[in-house]
């Protein structure tokens, strides 16, 4: 198991096709984006526990095909991420000036 300390905006690559982007959070939670092929089953531990499933082979979760995200929505997501990064940089600079 690998333990990392990360800052908002940093990411972790797993192999050639999985990217975890850390978008921020607080002391009790972390917001992440997961970019992975649909062939991978990605499920939160909370959901596994809630539905009585074990994280073992044979307990695959089936996914319904998602509609593609519109170019407008993609641009809005990029703008939100950029604004969050700028806000964090401003806060870091302000904290460094104290």
């Amino acid at each position: 198991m690998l333990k990392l300390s990360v800052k908002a905006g940093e990411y972790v690559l797993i192999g050639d096709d999985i990217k975890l982007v850390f978008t921020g959070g607080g002391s009790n939670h972390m917001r992440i984006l997961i970019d992975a092929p649909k062939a991978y089953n990605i499920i939160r531990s909370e959901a596994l526990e809630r539905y009585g499933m074990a994280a073992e082979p044979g307990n695959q979760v089936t996914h319904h095909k998602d509609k593609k995200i519109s170019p407008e929505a993609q641009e809005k997501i990029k703008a939100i991420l950029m604004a969050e990064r700028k806000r964090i940089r401003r806060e870091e600079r302000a904290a460094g000036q104290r």
Side-chain angles (χ1 to χ4, degrees):
M1 183 175 290
L2 175 66
K3 180 179 180 180
L4 300 170
S5 296
V6 295
K7 296 177 184 174
E10 291 184 330
Y11 61 90
V12 174
L13 294 174
I14 301 173
D16 293 332
D17 52 0
I18 300 174
K19 183 177 184 179
L20 302 175
V21 182
F22 299 90
T23 61
S27 61
N28 294 328
H29 70 281
M30 172 71 62
R31 290 186 307 270
I32 62 171
L33 301 172
I34 302 171
D35 183 15
K38 288 190 182 251
Y40 290 98
N41 285 320
I42 301 171
I43 186 165
R44 292 172 54 153
S45 60
E46 177 185 343
L48 288 172
E49 293 166 7
R50 181 182 309 148
Y51 298 110
M53 297 173 63
E56 299 174 353
N59 285 338
Q60 282 76 19
V61 177
T62 58
H63 300 280
H64 300 284
K65 186 174 182 179
D66 293 331
K67 293 181 180 177
K68 297 239 180 207
I69 297 176
S70 69
E72 295 83 14
Q74 290 177 5
E75 289 302 316
K76 286 181 182 180
I77 291 168
K78 286 179 188 177
I80 290 168
L81 291 173
M82 291 300 293
E84 181 75 7
R85 287 185 192 127
K86 287 178 184 178
R87 182 188 63 78
I88 290 167
R89 285 189 204 121
R90 279 194 307 266
E91 289 175 0
E92 289 173 347
R93 275 188 249 134
Q97 293 177 355
R98 293 181 197 168

